Structure formats: structure tokens, C-alpha cells
């Protein structure tokens, strides 16, 4: 992890040595007994990480986060259905566009400003006024660094008799989420973020209600994004038996068994392991927040409660642009990202802090130094030592 710059963008992220070793192995047959056992373990691990409810099914298929979003939209919604999207940025807006293309009537409930969250009362009103079949929200929108609170949104959907779907691509396995307690219907992600794998797998858990909704669709989705033929395959793997619908990403599936085991390694009790995992991401985020403040940087999210623990989206200081800053930071050992949300793309930059690095304070401190040094090279007056001290104090006390 040290010879090349650290990958500190909000996905793909640094992966552990054990996951890298698993990815480096030669491909296995999707029917090989050791592969079937590993895939089954990975799916069982997902159920624990997600805190999946009774009757829910975990899915791991070749693809991206975008494919997971499309699959959720197309397996729950028939053309003509009403849906509500609570958007906090670029990926919420993408979800709305996907749903429109599926033929849904979309009511978009947006935040009052970029960096804030939509009002829950407005979401409730939209659900009631439209008789929506489902509510879609992005747990952490990677374009704004905004985290929604899934609790009142899932409750709003439940009260309205609607399904709830959460895009967890930049949150799952890092931000607190209890699918069973929330009564959520789909929680989806991709392999390249806090799951800690390279890109290439779409992952989600669908509730029994979500599965029944797919079975009752009048307009089935295209076969490649239909979860119904995958369901018996996932169930077979969990029962230790091979099965086929479409070839799984066997190398990534093998690595997923390693990655999910690592996520749950903190405690023998999976519930406690997840508390520790969420706390590690919170501690990391609070360390970075203290360092940013010491450098005079401002976060794009408008309040602490709506600020993600998985990445920092920051305003660029006056006179600094990302094309100049990013190479300076990279030369100092960390790869960070520019802005993404169209409204603030030129004025923001982003630092990801998910996965294995949360247990490596040396990597986190290196990132603080690289950003401080990069800003200084761009003519900003920053005190790197003060930023590191602020990081250490917040990281250690969190
Ligand atoms: N949703 C969110 C919140 C994301 O951050 C991303 C990727 N950055 C996606 C969806 C899309 O995932 P992918 O790039 O794997 O298609």
C-alpha cells in the first residue's frame, strides 16, 4: 500500500492485502465446491452486514452501483407507477432519471440547498399526495458528502404503505444502517467502496416484500437486470449447492468472502462488529473534520448531522482549483478527487475515507499532510503541524 500514492478518492478505495491476494488468484469455476462455499459465506456475511430482515435475500452479481440502482428500479416499478425520490445530489438525480426511463411518474423532493437534506415533512406530503409505490433515497450522496438519516425516511415510506429503497453505494458497511429495524426493502451498493473490493460487483439485499413486488410486476425487466432468475442461484450458494443463471464474477466472489469476513472481524457477535465498524468510520471522519477546520477548509454539507463519515466534500479555498491542487496532493502521496455535483463541481474537492485505511492512522495522517502541503504549494497559508495535531486529538478522543 505504500510504494504508490494512497487511493483516497470516494471509491475505488485501498483494499486490504488479504483481499488483494484473493483477487490475484487464478479464476475458479462457478460450480467449484470451494467457490460455492466461499460465495455462500460471502452472502451470509452480507446478510449480517446489512442486518437483513427475515425472508430477505442477499444478491451479489457482476456489475456496478449503477446496475444495482437500475435493478432495484426495474424490479419494483412498473411503467405508470408513482414514485418519490428524496435527492441529495448527483446520484439521487440519476436515480430519478432511471425511474423516468422505466416509465414511472417521479416526484423529486430536493434539499433547499446543495449540501442539505430534503425536509422529511415534504417527503411525507409527496408520498401521500401521489400514492407512491416506493420512496428512493441516497444514504450518502458522493457528489455532496451529504448523509441522510434513513430512520425518518423509512418510517415515512412505511406509514404511506410504500416500499423504501436506499442507495448505499457510498455508505454500506461504513454508516449505521439496520435494514431489519428500518423495515427497508432494498439496500444496494457496489464492491469498490466500503465493502473493500475492486470495482465489478453489484450488491444488494431485497426484503420479502420487495421480492413479492417483483413477482407481481406486469412488465418484467430486461433479463440481465431481472433479480428473479438470480434469486434461486443466491439461495443455492447459501445452501452449498452450485447453480447457474449467468456467470458470476468468480474472482470477485472469492474475494468477497474475504472482504465480508474482514468487515465482521471486530467481534464474534456480528451486531457488535458492525457497531465497531461504523465507529471506526466516524472516528476517521471526525479526525479529518478537525484537520480540515485547522486548515481553514469548509465542508460542503451544511451541518454535522448531515455530513457523511465516508468522505469529505470540501469547498476549495479562493484562488485554488482542483486541476492544480490534485497533482500537488498526489505528489505528496495521496490521490484525492475533484468536485462532481454540477452546481459546485468547479468549487469543491473530495477526499474519501472508507475501509481498510480507517484502521491505519499513518495513512490518514499522510493524507492530512498531503492536502496541507498541496494547499501550501497552491499559495494557501496552512499550518500542517496544527492540522496533524487537530487530527490526532479528534481521532484519539472519538
Ligand atoms: N450511487 C452512489 C452514491 C455512488 O457514489 C456511486 C458511484 N460513485 C454510484 C451510485 C454509482 O456506482 P458505479 O460508479 O459503480 O456505477
Amino acid at each position: 500500500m505504500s510504494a504508490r500514492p494512497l487511493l483516497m478518492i470516494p471509491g475505488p478505495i485501498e483494499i486490504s492485502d488479504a483481499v488483494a491476494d484473493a483477487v490475484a488468484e487464478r479464476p475458479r469455476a462457478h460450480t467449484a465446491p470451494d467457490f460455492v462455499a466461499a460465495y455462500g459465506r460471502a452472502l451470509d456475511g452480507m446478510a449480517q452486514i446489512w442486518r437483513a430482515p427475515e425472508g430477505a435475500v442477499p444478491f451479489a452479481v457482476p456489475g456496478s452501483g449503477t446496475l444495482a440502482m437500475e435493478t432495484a428500479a426495474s424490479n419494483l416499478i412498473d411503467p405508470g407507477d408513482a414514485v418519490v425520490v428524496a435527492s441529495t445530489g448527483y446520484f439521487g438525480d440519476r436515480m430519478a432519471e432511471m425511474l423516468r426511463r422505466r416509465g414511472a411518474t417521479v416526484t423529486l423532493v430536493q434539499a433547499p440547498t446543495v449540501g442539505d437534506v430534503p425536509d422529511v415533512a415534504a417527503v411525507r406530503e409527496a408520498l401521500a399526495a401521489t400514492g407512491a409505490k416506493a420512496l428512493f433515497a441516497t444514504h450518502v450522496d458522493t457528489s455532496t458528502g451529504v448523509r441522510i438519516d434513513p430512520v425518518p425516511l423509512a418510517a415515512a415510506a412505511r406509514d404511506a404503505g410504500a416500499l423504501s429503497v436506499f442507495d448505499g453505494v457510498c455508505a454500506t458497511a461504513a454508516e449505521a444502517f439496520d435494514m431489519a429495524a428500518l423495515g427497508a426493502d432494498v439496500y444496494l451498493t457496489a464492491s469498490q467502496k466500503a465493502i473493500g473490493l475492486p470495482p465489478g460487483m453489484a450488491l444488494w439485499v431485497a426484503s420479502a416484500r420487495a421480492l413479492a413486488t417483483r413477482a407481481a410486476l406486469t412488465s418484467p425487466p430486461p433479463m440481465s437486470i431481472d433479480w428473479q432468475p438470480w434469486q434461486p442461484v443466491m439461495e443455492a450458494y447459501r445452501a452449498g449447492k452450485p447453480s447457474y443463471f449467468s456467470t458470476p464474477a468468480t474472482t470477485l466472489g472469492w474475494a468477497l468472502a474475504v472482504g465480508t469476513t474482514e468487515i465482521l472481524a471486530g467481534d464474534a457477535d456480528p451486531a457488535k462488529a458492525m457497531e465497531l465498524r461504523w465507529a471506526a468510520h466516524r472516528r476517521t471522519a471526525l479526525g479529518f473534520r478537525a484537520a480540515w477546520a485547522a486548515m481553514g477548509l469548509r465542508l460542503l454539507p451544511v451541518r454535522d448531522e448531515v455530513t457523511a463519515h465516508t468522505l469529505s466534500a470540501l469547498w476549495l479555498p479562493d484562488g485554488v482549483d482542483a486541476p492544480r491542487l490534485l497533482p500537488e496532493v498526489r505528489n505528496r502521496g495521496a490521490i484525492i478527487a475533484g468536485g462532481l455535483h454540477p452546481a459546485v463541481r468547479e468549487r469543491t474537492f473530495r477526499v474519501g475515507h472508507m475501509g481498510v485505511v480507517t484502521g491505519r492512522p499513518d495513512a490518514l495522517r499522510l493524507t492530512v499532510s498531503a492536502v496541507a502541503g498541496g494547499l501550501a504549494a497552491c499559495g494557501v497559508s496552512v499550518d500542517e503541524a496544527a492540522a496533524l495535531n487537530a487530527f490526532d486529538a479528534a481521532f484519539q478522543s472519538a
Side-chain angles (χ1 to χ4, degrees):
M1 219 199 247
S2 52
R4 59 186 182 81
L6 278 168
L7 191 53
M8 298 298 287
I9 64 173
I13 63 166
E14 288 292 339
I15 59 175
S16 74
D17 291 342
V19 169
D21 288 348
V23 170
E25 288 189 28
R26 296 176 73 81
R28 285 176 168 71
H30 57 290
T31 49
D34 57 352
F35 174 75
V36 170
Y39 217 84
R41 276 202 308 283
L43 294 167
D44 288 347
M46 281 177 63
Q48 294 177 330
I49 293 164
W50 267 244
R51 297 197 177 167
E54 200 61 34
V57 173
F59 293 82
V61 307
S64 61
T66 301
L67 182 120
M69 293 164 72
E70 193 101 76
T71 304
S74 305
N75 282 265
L76 298 176
I77 303 304
D78 264 321
D81 285 340
V83 298
V84 173
V85 177
S87 178
T88 44
Y90 178 90
F91 290 103
D93 294 348
R94 172 177 292 186
M95 190 77 244
E97 176 56 17
M98 274 178 182
L99 287 157
R100 278 185 214 108
R101 292 187 189 189
R102 175 71 179 153
T105 307
V106 179
T107 303
L108 189 62
V109 185
Q110 277 171 310
T113 56
V114 175
D116 206 343
V117 295
D119 189 14
V120 176
V123 173
R124 282 188 173 270
E125 260 174 49
L127 287 166
T130 61
K133 186 179 188 183
L135 169 67
F136 291 77
T138 314
H139 194 180
V140 168
D141 201 298
T142 323
S143 69
T144 53
V146 168
R147 187 188 68 238
I148 52 99
D149 182 352
V151 176
L153 290 178
R158 241 185 5 255
D159 293 348
L163 299 155
S164 61
V165 179
F166 293 92
D167 169 354
V169 174
C170 200
T172 307
E175 299 279 8
F177 194 92
D178 185 329
M179 190 172 167
L182 289 167
D185 292 291
V186 177
Y187 191 41
L188 64 91
T189 191
S191 51
Q192 75 271 20
K193 307 240 183 182
I195 296 291
L197 261 62
M201 274 193 137
L203 313 168
W204 68 89
V205 174
S207 72
R209 194 163 66 137
L211 299 170
T213 303
R214 160 63 191 93
L217 283 186
T218 53
S219 184
M223 206 178 279
S224 63
I225 53 166
D226 188 355
W227 71 36
Q228 202 158 262
W230 277 115
Q231 188 181 333
V233 178
M234 300 301 144
E235 288 166 347
Y237 279 138
R238 292 185 82 188
K241 295 187 201 112
S243 181
Y244 173 76
F245 160 61
S246 168
T247 308
T250 52
T251 301
L252 290 174
W254 184 254
L256 187 62
V258 177
T260 49
T261 302
E262 284 182 346
I263 290 166
L264 292 163
D267 197 279
D269 173 1
K272 283 204 193 114
M274 289 314 297
E275 304 285 344
L276 292 172
R277 175 90 182 170
W278 301 333
H281 284 80
R282 182 170 175 277
R283 179 186 317 123
T284 300
L286 296 187
F288 274 121
R289 272 182 226 174
W292 308 142
M295 291 183 212
L297 294 172
R298 256 185 339 114
L299 286 156
L300 171 57
V302 296
R303 288 182 304 285
D304 277 355
E305 312 87 81
V306 303
T307 306
H309 298 123
T310 48
L311 81 154
S312 298
L314 296 150
W315 294 104
L316 285 159
D318 285 345
V320 178
D321 62 24
R324 200 162 149 227
L325 175 64
L326 268 47
E328 293 290 356
V329 177
R330 186 194 176 103
N331 288 341
R332 290 164 176 79
I335 299 170
I336 61 170
L340 178 61
H341 192 287
V344 295
R345 186 179 287 141
E346 314 302 330
R347 291 181 289 143
T348 54
F349 70 106
R350 297 169 306 143
V351 179
H353 29 81
M354 286 171 255
V356 67
V357 294
T358 60
R360 290 206 36 201
D362 57 328
L364 306 176
R365 295 180 92 252
L366 184 150
T367 305
V368 170
S369 289
V371 173
L375 287 168
C378 292
V380 182
S381 153
V382 288
D383 183 340
E384 181 182 330
L388 284 169
N389 287 338
F391 174 86
D392 289 340
F395 187 80
Q396 279 151 24
S397 65

